[in-house]
């Protein structure tokens, strides 16, 4: 008998509000995977340069980081559902411009205008979406809800790149971006049909200037030992892996002679790893605790990244990428659920944006370095170095409060974590 049944509650999948949100975001995630593949292919086709791919990734990433600084303030001040709808409609319009402009020929400059704005809107959406889970389900079902959402996103991402590869090969990458634009209309429609629970407001909180409110979230983040350690280590991890997909696409097309369809197949099948990670994360965390789960996931990520550039066959690259995405999913859901559980609701948006803005800050620079180095020294050298760095991040976790972090906050002391349960026990 399920835990939900024993508690007298219906299974999460029967919750109509959560279900509508779940379906709409899954369809949108499938559309996202089209741009995930098509944008780098557009740049590579027009310029033949992996460094240009990395530069576009860096510019878009920088816009996302800047948007993240104020995204949390907006999410905590205004209706989260409305902000998500506005972000969806903004991306719908901007992404639709790209295939129209491409009818006159390659317009790479347009991507440097459209993509940063879309990434900024996407950051606002992501911050709101993370906080919305807190307003969709009870607190004891947050990890379950995140796991289900991420598993379905990943399942959609399996089919998405496969279809995107076919569309890009037959009609061109610009058409694949048009499909992504349409997906935002579906997401906005789904959000329009639901209502979120009211945000829990601390009556003693006084509104301040946006920067001061952002810093309030950053201070909360910095005062929590586990969250502080996660932020520092993930900043290094993101620097090392932010340009990984660009390098992967370059490796498959340049080194292994694959086509657009091959790239779509690799990314689509590898996304099964994300599905597996999303399904495994809740039982792993219950049995092994937060610390062991997070550290182990990032250690395996390091081995997988190191192996991708060395692998000289498409099946080997696909398998290693699947392992990387599986462990990335486990680590990401763990840290996201932890923030949601221990952060006061009225601060959750600002803490989320402070967390993402800080640890993504080095990402754009990392993408430039990684892709430049791949073009100059080859993908094996670059992925071996990045993989070794990821292993050092995992080792670093052993010397921080992350190692002893348990699965639940200490009763009566929000934000503090108890010791990890013994290996093999349920916390």
């Amino acid at each position: 008998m399920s835990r939900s049944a024993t508690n007298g509650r219906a299974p999460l999948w029967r919750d109509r509000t959560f279900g509508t949100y779940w379906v709409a975001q899954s369809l949108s995630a499938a559309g996202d995977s089209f741009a995930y593949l098509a944008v780098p292919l557009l740049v590579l086709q027009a310029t033949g340069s992996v460094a240009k791919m990395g530069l576009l990734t860096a510019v878009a990433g920088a816009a996302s980081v800047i948007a993240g600084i104020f995204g949390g303030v907006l999410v905590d001040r205004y209706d989260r559902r409305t902000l998500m709808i506005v972000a969806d409609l903004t991306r719908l319009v901007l992404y639709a411009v790209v295939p129209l402009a491409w009818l006159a020929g390659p317009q790479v400059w347009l991507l440097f205008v459209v993509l940063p704005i879309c990434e900024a809107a996407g950051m606002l959406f992501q911050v709101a979406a993370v906080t919305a889970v807190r307003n969709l389900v009870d607190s004891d079902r947050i990890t379950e809800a995140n796991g289900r959402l991420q598993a379905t996103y990943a399942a959609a991402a399996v089919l998405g790149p496969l279809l995107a590869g076919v569309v890009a090969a037959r009609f061109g990458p610009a058409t694949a971006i048009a499909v992504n634009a349409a997906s935002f209309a579906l997401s906005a429609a789904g959000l329009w049909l639901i209502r979120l629970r009211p945000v829990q407001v601390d009556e003693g909180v006084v509104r301040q200037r946006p920067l001061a409110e952002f810093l309030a979230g950053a201070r909360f983040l910095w005062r929590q030992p586990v969250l502080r350690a996660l932020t520092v280590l993930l900043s290094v991890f993101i620097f090392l892996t932010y340009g990984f997909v660009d390098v992967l696409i370059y490796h498959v097309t340049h080194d292994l002679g694959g086509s657009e369809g091959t790239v779509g197949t690799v990314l689509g099948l590898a996304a099964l790893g994300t599905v597996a990670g999303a399904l495994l994360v809740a039982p792993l965390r219950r049995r092994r605790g937060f610390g062991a789960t997070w550290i182990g996931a990032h250690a395996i990520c390091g081995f997988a990244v190191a192996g991708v550039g060395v692998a000289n066959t498409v099946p080997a690259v696909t398998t290693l990428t699947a392992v990387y995405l599986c462990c990335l999913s486990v680590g990401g859901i763990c840290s996201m659920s932890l923030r949601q559980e221990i952060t006061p609701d009225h601060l959750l948006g600002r803490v989320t944006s402070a967390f993402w803005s800080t640890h993504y800050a080095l990402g754009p620079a990392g993408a430039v370095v990684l892709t430049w180095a791949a073009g100059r020294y080859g993908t094996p050298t670059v992925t071996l170095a990045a993989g070794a760095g990821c292993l050092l991040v995992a080792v670093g976790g052993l010397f921080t409060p992350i190692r002893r972090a348990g699965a639940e906050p200490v009763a009566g002391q929000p934000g503090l974590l108890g010791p990890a349960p013994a290996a093999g026990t349920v916390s």
Side-chain angles (χ1 to χ4, degrees):
M1 183 176 296
S2 70
R3 180 174 298 184
S4 295
T6 59
N7 290 343
R9 293 186 295 178
L12 191 58
W13 61 269
R14 294 184 62 183
D15 184 312
R16 182 175 298 179
T17 299
F18 178 77
T20 302
Y21 180 85
W22 190 3
V23 170
Q25 296 316 303
S26 298
L27 291 173
S28 179
D32 284 343
S33 61
F34 276 70
Y36 181 69
L37 173 67
V39 170
L41 286 176
L42 278 175
V43 178
L44 195 59
Q45 281 188 358
T47 67
S49 170
V50 65
K52 286 282 181 64
M53 291 166 60
L55 181 60
L56 179 58
T57 299
V59 172
S64 179
V65 170
I66 294 171
I69 294 175
F70 299 102
V73 177
L74 294 174
V75 166
D76 286 339
R77 281 191 176 192
Y78 302 105
D79 181 69
R80 293 166 179 175
R81 170 176 159 273
T82 301
L83 289 173
M84 293 166 73
I85 292 174
V86 170
D88 272 340
L89 295 179
T90 299
R91 290 181 289 177
L92 164 63
V93 172
L94 290 175
Y95 272 123
V97 170
V98 173
L100 293 176
W102 233 259
L103 293 174
Q107 309 289 334
V108 176
W109 66 269
L110 181 63
L111 296 176
F112 281 87
V113 176
V114 168
L115 199 61
I117 300 174
C118 287
E119 286 297 304
M123 172 59 81
L124 176 62
F125 184 95
Q126 289 176 43
V127 174
V130 168
T131 59
V133 174
R134 177 86 168 253
N135 306 121
L136 279 170
V137 300
D138 296 333
S139 59
D140 63 337
R141 305 181 89 169
I142 287 176
T143 300
E144 180 188 359
N146 285 330
R148 289 180 181 274
L149 285 166
Q150 295 301 323
T152 313
Y153 295 165
V158 172
L159 182 62
L162 293 173
L163 292 176
V166 173
V167 171
R170 185 174 180 82
F171 303 106
T175 303
I177 290 181
V179 175
N180 182 48
S183 74
F184 292 117
L186 297 174
S187 175
L191 290 167
W192 184 260
L193 296 173
I194 68 170
R195 293 293 183 272
L196 300 178
R197 300 175 186 177
V199 175
Q200 299 173 10
V201 179
D202 188 337
E203 297 297 337
V205 174
V206 178
R207 286 281 175 85
Q208 298 174 303
R209 288 179 298 178
L211 182 58
E213 292 199 9
F214 171 80
L215 291 176
R219 281 194 298 271
F220 179 90
L221 184 68
W222 193 251
R223 288 170 181 169
Q224 300 299 322
V226 177
L227 295 184
R228 180 171 66 241
L230 283 171
T231 303
V232 173
L233 291 176
L234 281 173
S235 296
V236 179
F237 183 83
I238 292 296
F239 176 84
L240 295 166
T241 60
Y242 200 73
F244 175 75
V245 171
D246 290 337
V247 172
L248 173 66
I249 291 174
Y250 179 73
H251 182 50
V252 172
T253 56
H254 181 268
D255 300 336
L256 303 182
S259 64
E260 290 91 344
T262 305
V263 174
T265 301
V266 169
L267 292 176
L269 294 178
L272 290 170
T274 308
V275 178
L279 295 174
L280 288 171
V281 62
L284 277 174
R285 185 178 167 186
R286 284 196 301 269
R287 293 170 183 167
R288 300 295 178 182
F290 175 86
T293 302
W294 189 91
I295 292 170
H298 285 80
I300 298 173
C301 275
F303 286 110
V305 169
V308 164
V310 178
N312 55 13
T313 65
V314 171
V317 169
T318 304
T319 301
L320 288 167
T321 305
V323 172
Y324 167 76
L325 292 177
C326 175
C327 295
L328 194 67
S329 176
V330 169
I333 294 173
C334 271
S335 61
M336 177 170 60
S337 299
L338 183 70
R339 290 196 313 274
Q340 291 167 328
E341 289 163 0
I342 69 177
T343 304
D345 200 15
H346 70 277
L347 270 175
L348 186 54
R350 283 168 283 172
V351 170
T352 299
S353 66
F355 184 84
W356 282 352
S357 297
T358 303
H359 85 255
Y360 276 117
L362 296 179
V368 171
V369 171
L370 204 69
T371 52
W372 171 81
R376 179 72 180 271
Y377 301 107
T379 52
T381 301
V382 170
T383 56
L384 283 171
C390 293
L391 281 172
L392 290 176
V393 167
V395 171
L398 295 172
F399 299 93
T400 69
I402 293 173
R403 179 175 65 87
R404 298 178 57 215
E408 303 294 341
V410 177
Q413 300 182 48
L416 300 178
L417 298 177
T425 63
V426 179
S427 61

